[in-house]
Amino acid sequence: MHPDIHLQLHRLHAAELRNEAAAAPRAPGRPAGRLLRVQLGWRLVELGLRLATPPHHRTAPLAA
């Protein structure tokens, strides 16, 4: 795929995601970014544990 087309598709997809996020209802009394920070934190913990584990003990690929 041509790089300019790929970049344009990425921009369109990002705009769609922003519009969808803006329209989504938010949980009352909970900041919007908190859930994202928690999920990111657990992903970093998982990545760190996988990097610290020797290769022969790894059983599954990283979550997508």
Side-chain angles (χ1 to χ4, degrees):
M1 184 179 294
H2 195 274
D4 291 337
I5 294 172
H6 179 74
L7 183 59
Q8 184 62 26
L9 288 174
H10 174 73
R11 287 179 180 155
L12 289 171
H13 185 74
E16 288 175 1
L17 289 175
R18 278 192 297 274
N19 291 337
E20 187 177 318
R26 301 194 188 258
R30 190 171 192 182
R34 183 166 185 212
L35 179 60
L36 180 62
R37 282 193 308 261
V38 169
Q39 290 175 345
L40 178 61
W42 281 113
R43 294 294 171 142
L44 290 173
V45 168
E46 178 185 6
L47 178 62
L49 290 173
R50 290 190 182 272
L51 290 174
T53 306
H56 65 278
H57 287 108
R58 293 183 190 160
T59 58
L62 286 173

